[in-house]
Amino acid sequence: MAPAVDRQGYWGLTTSTLDWCEENYAVTWYMAEFWNTVSNLIMIIPPIFGAIQSVRDGLEKRYIAAYLALTVVGMGSWCFHMTLKYEMQLLDELPMIYSSCIFVYCMFECFKTKNSVNYHLLFTLVLFSLIVTTIYLQVKEPVFHQVMYGMLVFTLVLRSIYIVTWVYPWLRGLGYTSLGIFLLGFLLWNVDNIFCDSLRNFRKKVPPVVAVTTQFHAWWHILTGLGSYLHILFSIYTRTLYLRYRPKVKFLFGIWPVILFEPLRKH
């Protein structure tokens, strides 16, 4: 976490319960944490295109919701890091819970008939979200939120490992790439928290172009944004395989992964 003393800017005093290691208002007067803010673009723009493509492909609404939920997380995180206001912090953290619940629903419903609805699982996840929201608004303890989010991520990891181990082993590449990128982001998130003072001192001694590479919370956004996006692709790939489609992962401009598929032709 950041030291208590930091410069002020356009948004005034910090009211959030968290203030990350990036130096406040160091790049611009209008953004408290510039790099932690702009790094959210990876969670905002690609999922919007993913949602549009899902509509065009006629995918079930839950996958459109998954893409849009990731966009909402990115937008909330943008607002939080730009302002360091408590209300914006909630706009970041609570959608992390809600989006993960959508991911869980998608992963546990990938082997059901098309357009089916599991009302029991839906009720459970909505209830979980409401309980977490209610408690978090009362206790305002970031560790509580982090533990609840971690539980959801752990559930997704176990489900993914089950699928690539027992159901579709040929999806290990996509599944483990998503997981590995996410875990690397989590590692850098911890480095940013634990070694903040050392990182800040290091940045003072090196050129800005080098210093920016040590903004590890921004890297957390980039890596977890990419990891979450790949997880949605993994979920869609699993689902469309079960529905007897022909999914394929393609790379736009040789860089960005997207999923394309076509129904099996009837003879």
Side-chain angles (χ1 to χ4, degrees), residues 111-131:
F111 302 124
K112 302 293 179 64
T113 57
K114 190 171 183 179
N115 294 317
S116 63
V117 179
N118 186 335
Y119 290 103
H120 291 97
L121 179 58
L122 198 60
F123 174 79
T124 301
L125 292 171
V126 169
L127 181 62
F128 176 82
S129 297
L130 289 174
I131 292 173

Side-chain angles (χ1 to χ4, degrees), residues 170-195:
W170 55 90
L171 289 186
R172 284 176 182 169
L174 180 57
Y176 287 145
T177 298
S178 168
L179 176 59
I181 290 174
F182 194 97
L183 290 178
L184 178 58
F186 179 63
L187 172 65
L188 295 182
W189 181 84
N190 281 283
V191 170
D192 190 73
N193 288 337
I194 297 169
F195 301 104

Side-chain angles (χ1 to χ4, degrees), residues 120-168:
H120 291 97
L121 179 58
L122 198 60
F123 174 79
T124 301
L125 292 171
V126 169
L127 181 62
F128 176 82
S129 297
L130 289 174
I131 292 173
V132 170
T133 300
T134 302
I135 295 176
Y136 190 46
L137 290 175
Q138 294 296 319
V139 301
K140 298 181 180 180
E141 174 53 65
V143 173
F144 170 76
H145 167 267
Q146 291 160 9
V147 170
M148 295 299 103
Y149 177 66
M151 286 173 54
L152 290 169
V153 171
F154 185 65
T155 300
L156 289 170
V157 169
L158 290 181
R159 181 63 171 175
S160 299
I161 292 175
Y162 165 77
I163 290 172
V164 301
T165 301
W166 301 106
V167 187
Y168 297 136

Side-chain angles (χ1 to χ4, degrees), residues 50-262:
I52 294 171
Q53 188 62 46
S54 295
V55 172
R56 290 175 176 172
D57 290 337
L59 294 184
E60 291 156 302
K61 291 182 175 62
R62 58 179 177 260
Y63 297 105
I64 302 168
Y67 276 125
L68 294 180
L70 183 56
T71 294
V72 170
V73 171
M75 294 173 65
S77 183
W78 178 291
C79 293
F80 170 36
H81 291 285
M82 181 174 68
T83 66
L84 290 180
K85 294 296 184 181
Y86 176 67
E87 295 79 8
M88 299 300 105
Q89 179 182 347
L90 294 177
L91 197 61
D92 173 15
E93 293 175 331
L94 292 178
M96 291 172 65
I97 299 294
Y98 308 151
S99 63
S100 296
C101 285
I102 294 174
F103 295 167
V104 168
Y105 184 86
C106 289
M107 288 299 289
F108 279 85
E109 289 298 292
C110 55
F111 302 124
K112 302 293 179 64
T113 57
K114 190 171 183 179
N115 294 317
S116 63
V117 179
N118 186 335
Y119 290 103
H120 291 97
L121 179 58
L122 198 60
F123 174 79
T124 301
L125 292 171
V126 169
L127 181 62
F128 176 82
S129 297
L130 289 174
I131 292 173
V132 170
T133 300
T134 302
I135 295 176
Y136 190 46
L137 290 175
Q138 294 296 319
V139 301
K140 298 181 180 180
E141 174 53 65
V143 173
F144 170 76
H145 167 267
Q146 291 160 9
V147 170
M148 295 299 103
Y149 177 66
M151 286 173 54
L152 290 169
V153 171
F154 185 65
T155 300
L156 289 170
V157 169
L158 290 181
R159 181 63 171 175
S160 299
I161 292 175
Y162 165 77
I163 290 172
V164 301
T165 301
W166 301 106
V167 187
Y168 297 136
W170 55 90
L171 289 186
R172 284 176 182 169
L174 180 57
Y176 287 145
T177 298
S178 168
L179 176 59
I181 290 174
F182 194 97
L183 290 178
L184 178 58
F186 179 63
L187 172 65
L188 295 182
W189 181 84
N190 281 283
V191 170
D192 190 73
N193 288 337
I194 297 169
F195 301 104
C196 181
D197 289 336
S198 299
L199 288 170
R200 284 195 163 197
N201 290 331
F202 176 77
R203 290 173 195 148
K204 295 175 183 177
K205 301 173 184 177
V206 298
V209 69
V210 176
V212 71
T213 63
T214 68
Q215 298 290 355
F216 291 136
H217 193 86
W219 282 110
W220 151 259
H221 289 160
I222 293 169
L223 294 171
T224 55
L226 176 57
S228 298
Y229 177 86
L230 290 176
H231 172 79
I232 297 174
L233 291 191
F234 173 77
S235 183
I236 292 174
Y237 205 119
T238 302
R239 178 60 171 161
T240 53
L241 271 178
Y242 178 77
L243 294 176
R244 300 180 61 80
Y245 285 50
R246 292 193 183 104
K248 289 184 178 180
V249 174
K250 301 288 187 179
F251 290 87
L252 291 180
F253 310 110
I255 299 175
W256 191 257
V258 295
I259 191 165
L260 302 174
F261 64 92
E262 58 179 343

